[in-house]
Amino acid sequence: MHELREFILAGALLPGSRLGEVELAERLGVSRTPVREALTRLAAEGLVEVVPNRGARVATWTVAELEGVFDLRLSLEPQLTGFAVPNATDRDVAELDDLAHRMLAVGTPGPDQDLDALVPLNRAFHDRLVALAGHPTLAAALAAAIHPPIVRRNFHAYDAESLRRSLAHHLEIVAALRAGDPGWARAVMTAHICNARAVMVRAATAQAARAAASPHPHEEEAS
């Protein structure tokens, strides 16, 4: 079910949150059957964990697993970004530039900030670069590596300085594309991923510490 998947990807349902069929059916205005089917599909994607006799929860990731995912991103995504450079037409560059500026508009800290709107724009930007690279095997490897932990791409975890840095990286990647410089594009994407890794590992470490200190595991309802 598209709506439930987007709730998880956007961070509206946090890692470890219980996914009760009744609550979700009421929230989405559907019967329990499509909810049950959606949970099964999302479990196959790695976004949901289903425990027999205990129900479903949003998947959680350890700090070590998260670091491993970022290691894979660092080995694949900068290369794909570099491959995208010679394939990018003027129209491609213009559309990526538009995405980068739209991200800047909604993501810059201030009264007009809309972090939820930032998520699909960010996804579209990165997906466009991967498509331009023209390397389906590497693209498939990257998708397999990052798809489940995309839940962690929650910009609410970013402090203001890290977010500004991330937004600036998108603009600089566009500049590298416009200049036709694969090395520059690879370098900026590497810095971009390192910035995200620092933010997400810090957030995951803090979450693990809170969970260890709590006598009762956090169980946020889906309502």
Side-chain angles (χ1 to χ4, degrees), residues 27-42:
R27 180 172 182 171
L28 298 171
V30 297
S31 68
R32 294 178 62 179
T33 298
V35 170
R36 188 178 302 114
E37 293 172 349
L39 291 174
T40 300
R41 291 198 301 271
L42 293 173

Side-chain angles (χ1 to χ4, degrees), residues 15 18 24 31 34 37 47 55 61 65 70 77 83 86 103-104 123 154 171 180-181 190 195 202 204 212:
R18 188 176 72 84
L24 286 171
S31 68
E37 293 172 349
L47 294 174
W61 290 76
E65 287 171 330
F70 277 103
E77 202 162 357
F83 291 144
M103 282 188 279
L104 187 67
R123 196 182 314 157
N154 180 355
L171 293 169
D181 191 332
T190 298
N195 181 57
R202 181 173 64 241

